[in-house]
Amino acid sequence: MSECQTFDVVVVGGGPAGATAANDLARDGYSVALIDRGGRIKPCGGAIPPKLLRDFAIPEHLMVARATTARMVAPSKKAVDMDIGGFVGMVDREEFDEWLRDRAARNGATRFTGSFKQITREGDGYATVHFAPKGALNDARETVRARLVIGADGARSAVAKQEVTGGENNKCVFAYHEIVRSPANGENFDGSRCDVYYQGEVSPDFYGWIFPHGKCTSVGVGSAQKGFSLRGATASLRQKSGLEGVETIRCEGAPIPLQPLKRWDNGQDVLLVGDAAGVVAPASGEGIFYAMTCGRRAAETAGVFVRTGDARVLRQARKRFMKEHGMVFRILGIMQHFWYRDDGRRERFVNICADRDVQRLTWQAYMNKKLVRANPIAHVRIFFKDMAHLLRIVNP
């Protein structure tokens, strides 16, 4: 075991949330250790809004594609194309996440590659993080010490399970995707279009997707239903879309949380962020923007904690995040609960997506990451159209 180093903050997990927290803290002059397992790529459609590029100073070269249209496919195979009115950036998580970790290191964070094992304490105000270095033999362990530990180690967070009450109760959708070689644009494939399949045979409670990543494309599905074959559904989706014959580059699967935990801290010296805190948007499954925003709020809170030693401030990270995005999460949760129940409701949901008011307000909210309150007449029209579908006054 090497000599134990001491830091202000140790971040466990180097995805968008953890890497952002580490970067912000290091940039602000705090000593930071970033521990990441290395070699793992989360299954992800890779969509990011332009707001993320601006807020987090992300260079455009990390975008491997720009989607300008979203195609919604109903159980009846009816397709509705939604004009985004701008673009959704697409990133490859293998390259994107490593760039974020490298930026944190360039700003002063110390990187370690290894797997988290446990946290111990000796009563001196510091937590000791034990981890197994990558490639170590005979179960070798290393340790680092810190005033605060930020758990950013995913939906099945070992940090959360050990340290935060309720941390093991993250409700999840299980996601699986295959990265395939993108074909040439044609009738069934468009490198500037994201396809979303709302069909029970593709997913009984979520959706399937085909998201272009330039030279590659993510084809995947999600479901919380035990026993549902994600691999089989993905194979079916590839066949439906004419992608069954293209080269498969890699396959990935992981749980994706769809509900923020009620508590993100242990009241002492641990704070959760990203998937570990449950900040993936219901209905859409969007996580990168919310993870990075969560990481930033955690870094701000961590700075106050390190300066003051007041553990009560740790609750501010969740409080600030939910004040900004809690209403969107609640509305999306209601949408998923209602519209994804069966194919009849999915059919009506896709039909609603054809409405121009719905398209405009949906993408304005996505681009700006807040509910759009302008144009009340449009909201009134949407309300009555939704009611017509709910009461089955109109045909899907």
Side-chain angles (χ1 to χ4, degrees), residues 12-13 40 42 151-160 167 170 255 257 273-278:
V12 179
R40 178 185 179 276
K42 179 185 174 182
D153 52 334
R156 293 289 185 254
S157 167
V159 175
N170 238 341
V273 296
D275 282 11

Side-chain angles (χ1 to χ4, degrees), residues 128-355:
T128 300
V129 177
H130 303 250
F131 66 98
K134 186 176 181 180
L137 301 176
N138 301 322
D139 198 30
R141 300 284 182 91
E142 291 192 11
T143 58
V144 288
R145 287 167 22 104
R147 297 282 303 282
L148 178 71
V149 178
I150 293 180
D153 52 334
R156 293 289 185 254
S157 167
V159 175
K161 184 177 181 180
Q162 177 183 324
E163 292 290 333
V164 178
T165 302
E168 72 282 3
N169 296 325
N170 238 341
K171 294 183 179 180
C172 293
V173 160
F174 290 86
Y176 170 81
H177 79 162
E178 297 175 358
I179 298 295
V180 304
R181 192 73 63 193
S182 296
N185 282 356
E187 181 179 355
N188 294 323
F189 180 84
D190 184 338
S192 64
R193 188 188 71 220
C194 292
D195 294 353
V196 185
Y197 284 74
Y198 294 102
Q199 299 176 338
E201 62 183 13
V202 172
S203 172
D205 53 357
F206 203 56
Y207 62 80
W209 67 84
I210 300 174
F211 287 178
H213 290 177
K215 295 180 180 180
C216 305
T217 293
S218 167
V219 184
V221 298
S223 175
Q225 188 177 106
K226 292 183 178 180
F228 182 74
S229 175
L230 298 175
R231 289 178 180 269
T234 301
S236 174
L237 185 55
R238 289 181 64 169
Q239 191 277 328
K240 287 172 180 285
S241 57
L243 297 175
E244 72 275 21
V246 300
E247 177 190 357
T248 300
I249 298 172
R250 65 177 191 263
C251 305
E252 297 147 0
I256 309 294
L258 290 180
Q259 182 175 321
L261 291 177
K262 295 184 181 299
R263 182 159 186 170
W264 295 0
D265 70 280
N266 69 346
Q268 182 180 359
D269 54 9
V270 171
L271 180 62
L272 305 178
V273 296
D275 282 11
V279 293
V280 176
S284 69
E286 182 191 358
I288 299 176
F289 173 83
Y290 294 113
M292 295 179 71
T293 300
C294 180
R296 176 152 291 173
R297 297 296 167 260
E300 294 164 353
T301 301
V304 176
F305 172 78
V306 170
R307 293 193 303 270
T308 66
D310 185 354
R312 293 173 297 180
V313 305
L314 295 176
R315 295 195 176 190
Q316 291 301 310
R318 186 185 190 280
K319 184 176 181 179
R320 292 190 60 192
F321 180 90
M322 295 305 291
K323 182 178 180 180
E324 294 172 333
H325 303 291
M327 181 61 73
V328 172
F329 274 49
R330 285 189 288 273
I331 290 174
L332 290 176
I334 292 170
M335 284 179 55
Q336 179 175 340
H337 178 74
F338 184 84
W339 290 114
Y340 293 6
R341 279 189 176 186
D342 56 55
D343 275 353
R345 296 191 184 192
R346 294 184 189 98
E347 192 75 35
R348 292 177 180 276
F349 174 72
V350 172
N351 195 58
I352 290 173
C353 291
D355 185 89

Side-chain angles (χ1 to χ4, degrees), residues 339 348 352 380-394:
W339 290 114
R348 292 177 180 276
I352 290 173
V380 171
R381 287 199 299 264
I382 291 172
F383 172 78
F384 283 110
K385 291 170 185 175
D386 283 351
M387 289 303 298
H389 280 277
L390 290 172
L391 299 174
R392 299 182 183 271
I393 297 172
V394 298

